[in-house]
Amino acid sequence: MSPATASRTRWRLLVGVLVALVALSAAAVGGLYWLDDRFRHPEPDSGRPGAWMSVEANEVSLFTRMAIPAQADDIRWGYQKGFQDDFAVLAFRIPQAGLDAFQGRLHVSSWSESKYIESVDLNGFQHIGAPDPSNASPLLCGGYISPGTAKNVATRICVAPRPDGTSQVWVSAFHTP
């Protein structure tokens, strides 16, 4: 074999090895991206942290420690499994005439007008297809903590009137140490 042929053969081998390394690196990066996406967005009902679970409205009502009024309409709910603390959202409409009685049954010490809604709550309400509370005005919010056997539950409630004579209610709750 001539020196020129040997040099070309080594050069081709080097280029082939480099191409294989680049392809393997691209496959590894793609695989890591896929794994990262799977961990960030777990399959529903997988039981993994961050997964939205299929539960009944009464289970979410028990978790939030808030009874859904009998006259409630357009009830939407969701329950997300957490790493340490679970999270639940509930949204419904009630007739404007029943709003005072509804608010009177809650353990909220004071209601205040709010413009800011926690991003985790907004994501939860968006997930269940509820109206966006940050667009409602006036928006009255309050909250309470319910003691539990293992953990306490912090519940936030926001209420806003609607043009159709009803009030929209948004509820979010999470375990708290």
Side-chain angles (χ1 to χ4, degrees), residues 16-119:
V17 167
L18 288 175
V19 166
L21 284 174
V22 167
L24 284 173
S25 296
V29 167
L32 289 173
Y33 178 80
W34 178 80
L35 282 174
D36 181 56
D37 187 60
R38 299 276 300 177
F39 281 116
R40 284 191 196 190
H41 308 288
E43 295 292 323
D45 293 324
S46 66
R48 291 189 32 237
W52 286 93
M53 307 299 288
S54 296
V55 298
E56 298 295 322
N58 61 344
E59 292 179 67
V60 172
S61 177
L62 288 171
F63 181 85
T64 61
R65 300 194 173 115
M66 174 181 291
I68 300 170
Q71 71 270 28
D73 188 25
D74 190 24
I75 303 167
R76 299 167 186 260
W77 64 92
Y79 183 85
Q80 188 177 37
K81 177 89 172 132
F83 177 68
Q84 292 179 328
D85 302 319
D86 296 348
F87 173 67
V89 287
L90 179 64
F92 53 87
R93 289 181 305 183
I94 58 174
Q96 187 69 33
L99 181 61
D100 289 336
F102 169 74
Q103 286 179 306
R105 289 191 302 266
L106 300 174
H107 304 289
V108 175
S109 58
S110 68
W111 293 88
S112 61
E113 197 165 328
S114 178
K115 300 229 183 285
Y116 174 75
I117 303 295
E118 299 278 339
S119 63

Side-chain angles (χ1 to χ4, degrees), residues 134-156:
S134 57
N135 294 329
S137 181
L139 182 67
L140 294 176
C141 295
Y144 57 90
I145 295 181
S146 302
T149 55
K151 290 188 175 187
N152 298 328
V153 173
T155 303
R156 292 185 293 254

